[in-house]
């Protein structure tokens, strides 16, 4: 008798997917699915068909699972199929569940610490007591992923219902824009698209993370923060912030991650271009595809502390002109971003003292290097909140992002450092930390906004918040020097820059500073006021309007200075996302008291309305209407809509839009063929020569015919 020859191996992709929470992956929903998507630590079933009837007393069947091309102890599972098997959560096992003539049904258990990835299978058959053997290499990969539903997995989330949001939800929102006008930008994650897992495997190989480390979510999330940017290892996305995107796709034009990952896999080179929320959107797609719970986090008024002082320092000349450099820091000046977006991932942290598991911050936007590479995190939110900066990884940088103090310094020849302090503001940085609320998706409003500031820091101004920051300062010699100066600033003239209410694109606005002299003597004041267009990362573009002059304020009197900005003055100078910065500076002649303040706001643009004329029936063609009103006094030309959706044929669609006169409705029809039941989400962007970064989304139900 010859050893058994394998005819077919089959892994019941759909049935296993039901038990493994992987039923949404497109590959297991093919007409004849061949690729299994599984979670570690969960048993799965398979069947082998042989070329002759099985004789259990004579035949042996061995399964050898391997990951990567050089299998080692952690990346290989080898076991003989037997009936009497006791499974153990930390090792491989395979048990025969039934034998029927030429078919052998079996159940495989995998270790709950298994490296994740695309595993290969070899089946080896022998006759007992004979060296002869037959080898069969299974032609498909088995994807084995993290298992946050399993209490023994390091990614386990006790409130399992939250996994519907943080692993299974394929659409979300990213909050972008300055504090007063922040809005949720819809993003299509698409982690179940057939192209995503192959792209992720290519990314991990590109990053060079050893196969045996791929089961550790700490190492994996740190590598993902590095490989989603292209600064090291030719990662996924090239970051660009200067508004020049002709040789690629403008960051604002992306509607989701799938097109980016598909392009990366196809060209096997970095995709152009990304900014912080694009990096974060791709990270969430990759994490959720791998089974690592993840959310996108937006920090409004975010500090980039370039010199680890836990402060953001702004420098001015003697006459209070702002300097764009930091005279004390050759590494570059600190900066303040209107907002910055990163990710939280969920895991236990057995490498740290108890209490630091749960959400961990990682940031794929390349800002500063960490251990020589552009990577950041995972930093436990609990450590950021308490100011415990010695813990792995990058807690200090994240603490400064959400809780640094803003310090202003004026050139002063009398001071031994060359600068004296103007003022310090404890409340400016990290004004609000936002993410999407679980289970809610509000395509047009902000009902799905979740304020998680309290998870990152104690309430501003409380003793705990100051203590957490000072805890960080205590461990940093450089920070101690900065905070030692912040004392005894007394002033008798008060200044206030008035908040600007919302400004719709095409409308005028006014900037006003209130000045109150609280002394018994008159005061001569030199003041300057400017409105500048800025990129969202704080880099200035063009001065739109500026005034400067002197005024006298009598004892206990009130005065104000203001500038009036017309639409025609700012429209030609706006840069992407239409962010404006108002800067005000003043110096009092008699006392040399100086003051400075600034404010960011965004010129608001319309949203795209997405409407269907009729109910959506599966596999029946229909159309969606996409429209908005041109808010400008000039026509829009060269317009294009870009639309992404789950449940609609094709990943992304581009639609040319007709030119549209001032204040008229621009509208296009999108043909839709729904191919899946239940709720589908549609995300759209619009750009033209005159107007960019217009967004919209809709959720709609698809019914049986």
């Amino acid at each position: 008798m010859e050893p058994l020859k394998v005819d077919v191996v089959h892994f019941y992709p759909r049935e296993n997917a039901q038990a493994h929470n992987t039923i949404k992956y497109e590959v297991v929903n093919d007409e004849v699915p061949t690729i299994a998507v599984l979670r570690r630590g969960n048993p799965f079933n398979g069947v082998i068909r042989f070329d002759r009837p099985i004789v259990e007393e004579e035949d042996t069947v061995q399964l050898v699972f391997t990951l990567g091309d050089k299998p080692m102890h952690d990346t290989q599972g080898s076991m003989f199929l037997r009936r009497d098997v006791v499974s153990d959560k930390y090792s491989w096992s395979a048990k025969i569940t039934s034998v029927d003539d030429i078919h052998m049904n079996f159940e495989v258990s995998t270790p709950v610490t298994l490296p994740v990835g695309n595993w290969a299978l070899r089946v080896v058959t022998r006759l007992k007591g004979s060296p002869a053997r037959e080898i069969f290499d299974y032609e498909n990969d088995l994807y084995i992923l993290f298992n946050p539903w399993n209490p023994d997995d390091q990614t386990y989330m006790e409130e399992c219902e939250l996994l519907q949001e943080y692993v299974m939800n394929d659409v979300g929102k990213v909050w972008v824009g300055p504090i007063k006008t922040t809005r949720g930008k819809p993003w299509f994650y698409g982690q179940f698209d057939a192209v995503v897992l192959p792209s992720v495997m290519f990314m991990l190989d590109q990053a060079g993370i050893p196969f045996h480390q791929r089961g550790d979510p700490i190492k994996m999330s740190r590598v993902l923060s590095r490989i989603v940017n292209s600064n090291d290892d030719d990662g996924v996305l090239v970051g660009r912030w200067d508004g020049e995107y002709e040789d690629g796709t403008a960051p604002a034009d992306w509607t989701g991650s799938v097109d980016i990952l598909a392009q990366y896999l196809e060209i096997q080179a970095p995709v152009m271009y990304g900014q912080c929320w694009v990096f974060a959107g791709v990270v969430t797609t990759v994490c959720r595809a791998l089974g690592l719970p993840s959310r996108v986090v937006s920090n409004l008024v975010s500090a980039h502390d370039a010199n680890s002082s836990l402060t953001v320092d702004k420098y001015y000349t003697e006459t209070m002109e702002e300097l764009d450099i930091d005279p004390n820091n050759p590494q570059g000046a600190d900066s303040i971003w209107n907002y910055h977006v990163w990710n939280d991932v969920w895991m236990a942290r057995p490498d740290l003292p108890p209490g630091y598991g749960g959400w961990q911050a990682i940031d794929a936007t390349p800002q500063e290097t960490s251990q020589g590479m552009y990577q950041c995190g995972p930093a436990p939110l609990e450590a950021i909140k308490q100011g415990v900066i010695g813990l792995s990884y990058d807690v200090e940088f994240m603490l400064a992002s959400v809780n640094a103090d803003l310090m202003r310094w004026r050139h002063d020849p009398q001071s031994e450092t060359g600068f004296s302090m103007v003022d310090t503001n404890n409340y400016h940085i990290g004004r609000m930390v936002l993410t999407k609320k679980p289970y809610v998706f509000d395509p047009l409003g902000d009902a799905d906004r979740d304020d998680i500031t309290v998870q990152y820091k104690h309430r501003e101004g409380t003793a705990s918040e100051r203590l957490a920051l000072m805890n960080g300062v205590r461990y940093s010699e450089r920070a101690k020097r900065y905070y030692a100066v912040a004392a005894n600033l007394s002033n008798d003239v008060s200044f206030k820059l008035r908040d600007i209410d919302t400004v719709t694109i095409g409308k005028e606005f006014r900037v006003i500073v209130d000045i109150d002299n609280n002394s018994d003597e008159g005061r001569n004041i030199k003041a300057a006021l400017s409105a500048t267009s800025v990129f969202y990362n704080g880099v200035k573009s063009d001065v739109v309007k500026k005034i400067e002059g002197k005024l006298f304020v009598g004892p206990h009197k009130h005065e104000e200075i203001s500038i009036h900005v017309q639409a025609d003055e700012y429209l030609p100078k706006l840069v992407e996302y239409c962010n404006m910065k108002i800067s005000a500076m003043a110096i009092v002649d008699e006392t040399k008291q100086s003051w400075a303040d600034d404010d960011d706001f965004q010129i608001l643009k319309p949203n795209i309305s997405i409407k269907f004329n009729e109910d959506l029936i599966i596999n029946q063609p229909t159309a969606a209407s996409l429209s908005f009103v041109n808010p400008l006094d000039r026509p829009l030309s060269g317009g294009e809509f870009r639309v992404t959706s789950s449940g609609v044929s094709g990943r992304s669609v581009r639609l040319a839009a007709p030119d549209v006169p001032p204040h008229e409705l621009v509208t296009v029809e999108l043909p839709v063929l729904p191919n899946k039941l239940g709720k589908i989400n549609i995300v759209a962007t619009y750009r033209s020569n005159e107007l960019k970064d217009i967004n919209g989304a809709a959720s709609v139900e698809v019914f049986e015919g």
Side-chain angles (χ1 to χ4, degrees):
M1 195 163 61
E2 294 291 310
L4 289 165
K5 282 197 175 75
V6 174
D7 191 9
V8 175
V9 177
H10 182 64
F11 279 107
Y12 304 111
R14 218 166 275 159
E15 293 79 353
N16 282 318
Q18 289 287 4
H20 284 244
N21 294 297
T22 57
I23 196 65
K24 284 188 164 185
Y25 286 86
E26 280 185 7
V27 288
V28 301
N29 290 295
D30 289 344
E31 267 185 55
V32 184
T34 53
I35 293 178
V37 183
L38 309 162
R39 296 197 187 277
R40 64 186 190 178
N42 245 26
F44 59 92
N45 294 301
V47 62
I48 307 174
R49 187 172 78 205
F50 294 105
D51 65 331
R52 63 166 172 79
I54 299 153
V55 183
E56 285 191 62
E57 298 73 37
E58 299 290 331
D59 289 314
T60 67
V61 181
Q62 184 185 14
L63 303 181
V64 184
F65 291 92
T66 55
L67 179 66
D69 48 3
K70 296 192 182 84
M72 309 161 36
H73 169 67
D74 291 335
T75 55
Q76 179 166 311
S78 174
M79 65 234 94
F80 287 95
L81 278 166
R82 298 202 311 269
R83 288 195 179 261
D84 55 335
V85 170
V86 180
S87 62
D88 156 18
K89 59 193 176 194
Y90 295 112
S91 54
W92 288 87
S93 64
K95 136 172 122 179
I96 299 170
T97 53
S98 69
V99 171
D100 171 19
D101 192 34
I102 61 169
H103 293 96
M104 181 180 280
N105 286 285
F106 60 89
E107 180 185 88
V108 176
S109 294
T110 58
V112 75
T113 52
L114 190 72
V116 302
N118 46 336
W119 286 75
L121 168 66
R122 169 172 282 187
V123 182
V124 183
T125 51
R126 294 182 183 84
L127 291 170
K128 284 183 181 163
S130 161
R133 60 181 191 165
E134 286 286 341
I135 290 175
F136 174 85
D137 286 321
Y138 179 58
E139 68 273 21
N140 296 312
D141 288 336
L142 290 93
Y143 286 103
I144 304 182
L145 311 176
F146 290 114
N147 191 355
W149 284 265
N150 185 322
D152 297 308
D153 195 295
Q154 202 178 325
T155 62
Y156 175 63
M157 197 174 240
E158 210 166 318
E159 289 181 71
C160 279
E161 61 276 13
L162 285 173
L163 295 171
Q164 293 307 313
E165 178 68 36
Y166 298 128
V167 174
M168 304 301 281
N169 197 350
D170 64 358
V171 70
K173 287 275 215 50
V174 187
W175 269 266
V176 296
I179 180 84
K180 288 188 296 247
T181 52
T182 183
R183 65 198 164 85
K185 182 183 173 77
W187 189 264
F188 183 67
Y189 298 120
Q191 66 267 35
F192 304 116
D193 190 287
V195 80
V196 171
L197 281 175
S199 304
V200 174
M201 298 306 127
F202 175 66
M203 282 167 63
L204 295 174
D205 292 345
Q206 199 64 4
I209 176 169
F211 288 99
H212 69 276
Q213 291 181 4
R214 296 186 188 188
D216 179 349
I218 303 166
K219 291 191 169 75
M220 283 283 273
S221 60
R222 186 156 174 80
V223 161
L224 293 178
S225 80
R226 180 180 97 219
I227 194 63
V228 169
N229 68 65
S230 67
N231 291 44
D232 313 293
D233 311 317
D234 283 336
V236 180
L237 274 161
V238 181
R240 192 157 187 171
W241 287 267
D242 60 3
E244 304 293 325
Y245 311 118
E246 285 68 28
D247 53 347
T249 298
D253 290 351
W254 298 115
T255 47
S257 310
V258 177
D259 284 353
I260 295 167
L261 291 169
Q263 193 178 326
Y264 182 62
L265 184 62
E266 186 187 342
I267 64 174
Q268 306 213 339
V271 175
M272 302 185 290
Y273 288 104
Q275 289 173 354
C276 66
W277 77 91
V278 186
F279 290 115
V282 171
V283 167
T284 284
T285 298
V286 170
C287 288
R288 290 183 184 179
L290 288 169
L292 181 57
S294 166
R295 63 186 183 186
V296 172
V297 172
S298 299
N299 179 35
L300 306 187
V301 191
S302 190
H304 176 175
D305 177 14
N307 64 348
S308 305
S309 63
L310 298 183
T311 61
V312 172
D313 301 286
K314 288 197 168 186
Y315 291 87
Y316 298 83
T317 64
E318 273 182 89
T319 55
M320 288 304 289
E321 294 285 326
E322 190 174 347
L323 296 166
D324 284 334
I325 55 157
D326 179 344
N328 297 324
N329 185 25
Q331 295 102 311
D334 293 341
S335 59
I336 298 175
W337 298 35
N338 283 164
Y339 61 92
H340 182 46
V341 184
W342 60 76
N343 299 82
D344 287 342
V345 288
W346 180 274
M347 65 186 75
R349 287 298 299 268
D351 58 319
L352 297 180
Y356 293 106
W359 288 118
Q360 317 283 317
I362 63 173
D363 189 353
T365 301
Q367 295 183 85
E368 299 288 323
T369 56
S370 170
Q371 296 177 322
M373 297 182 111
Y374 283 95
Q375 56 192 353
C376 183
L381 265 58
E382 187 59 23
I384 297 168
K385 183 170 180 171
Q386 306 303 348
V388 185
I389 65 175
L391 298 179
S392 307
Y393 292 90
D394 308 306
V395 171
E396 190 172 358
F397 186 75
M398 299 307 297
L399 171 65
S401 296
V402 295
N403 209 13
D405 282 358
L406 170 62
M407 294 186 177
R408 300 180 201 270
W409 305 84
R410 177 173 148 248
H411 183 52
D412 179 359
Q414 260 67 60
S415 161
E416 69 178 74
T417 61
F419 285 85
S420 57
M421 182 171 281
V422 176
D423 68 1
T424 177
N425 183 335
N426 307 345
Y427 304 109
H428 187 72
I429 303 298
R431 298 275 275 283
M432 207 184 278
V433 185
L434 300 174
T435 190
K436 180 186 165 299
K437 204 177 273 181
Y439 325 125
V440 189
F441 181 59
D442 179 1
L444 299 173
D446 266 353
D448 49 2
R449 185 172 105 165
D450 201 1
D451 184 341
I452 55 165
T453 313
V454 70
Q455 295 180 29
Y456 269 88
K457 60 195 217 178
H458 297 282
R459 216 175 68 246
E460 285 287 11
T462 59
S464 299
E465 179 267 334
R466 285 285 91 196
L467 284 168
L469 183 61
M470 289 307 143
N471 202 14
V473 170
R474 207 176 57 187
Y475 290 108
S476 163
E477 287 308 314
R478 175 175 267 157
K480 275 187 205 162
R481 294 202 296 275
Y482 279 76
Y483 278 89
V485 185
N488 307 336
L489 298 162
S490 65
N491 306 310
D492 60 16
V493 179
S494 63
F495 299 87
K496 181 162 191 340
L497 177 61
R498 276 193 216 174
D499 278 353
I500 289 183
D501 288 333
T502 53
V503 179
T504 306
I505 194 161
K507 300 282 189 268
E508 58 189 26
F509 63 89
R510 185 179 288 279
V511 184
I512 301 171
V513 175
D514 291 301
I515 304 172
D516 287 285
N517 180 1
N518 304 311
S519 76
D520 298 330
E521 299 163 14
R523 294 285 184 242
N524 286 288
I525 292 163
K526 178 174 181 280
L529 195 51
S530 65
T532 308
S533 63
V534 290
F535 294 97
Y536 85 93
N537 60 357
V539 174
K540 291 177 181 168
S541 176
D542 273 322
V543 175
V544 172
K545 199 165 192 178
K546 181 171 184 178
I547 58 156
E548 44 191 300
K550 291 190 169 171
L551 72 160
F552 177 78
V553 185
H556 301 286
K557 286 281 189 278
H558 171 92
E559 296 285 344
E560 56 187 53
I561 52 172
S562 70
I563 50 174
H564 184 221
V565 182
Q566 304 277 6
D568 279 350
E569 293 175 295
Y570 68 74
L571 278 173
K573 295 186 174 176
L574 283 180
V575 288
E576 51 181 3
Y577 322 127
C578 300
N579 291 321
M580 301 286 295
K581 180 179 280 297
I582 306 303
S583 299
M585 282 85 97
I587 189 159
V588 181
D589 274 356
E590 289 78 6
T591 61
K592 296 294 175 265
Q593 174 193 340
S594 50
W595 167 84
D597 198 3
D598 49 49
D599 186 23
D600 293 279
F601 70 95
Q602 188 175 33
I603 309 278
L604 294 180
K605 290 176 288 195
N607 282 328
I608 299 166
S609 158
I610 303 175
K611 290 206 163 56
F612 290 87
N613 309 329
E614 56 202 345
D615 281 348
L616 268 65
I617 309 295
I618 191 157
N619 295 327
Q620 284 194 14
T622 181
S625 157
L626 281 65
S627 62
F628 67 92
V629 173
N630 174 7
L632 300 182
D633 291 329
R634 60 196 66 182
L636 303 182
S637 62
E640 180 186 74
F641 286 88
R642 197 184 260 227
V643 191
T644 300
S645 172
S646 58
V648 173
S649 319
R651 283 199 186 103
S652 288
V653 183
R654 294 183 182 202
L655 294 168
D659 293 354
V660 60
H663 306 292
E664 294 283 325
L665 190 73
V666 54
T667 182
V668 296
E669 292 285 304
L670 168 72
V672 172
L673 182 65
N675 58 18
K676 106 176 175 198
L677 288 171
K679 182 180 280 187
I680 63 170
N681 298 297
I682 295 175
V683 177
T685 61
Y686 169 88
R687 63 172 297 144
S688 65
N689 298 324
E690 298 73 22
L691 196 59
K692 296 176 174 63
D693 189 35
I694 308 284
N695 300 288
S699 282
V700 62
E701 203 73 33
V702 177
F703 300 100
E704 290 271 17

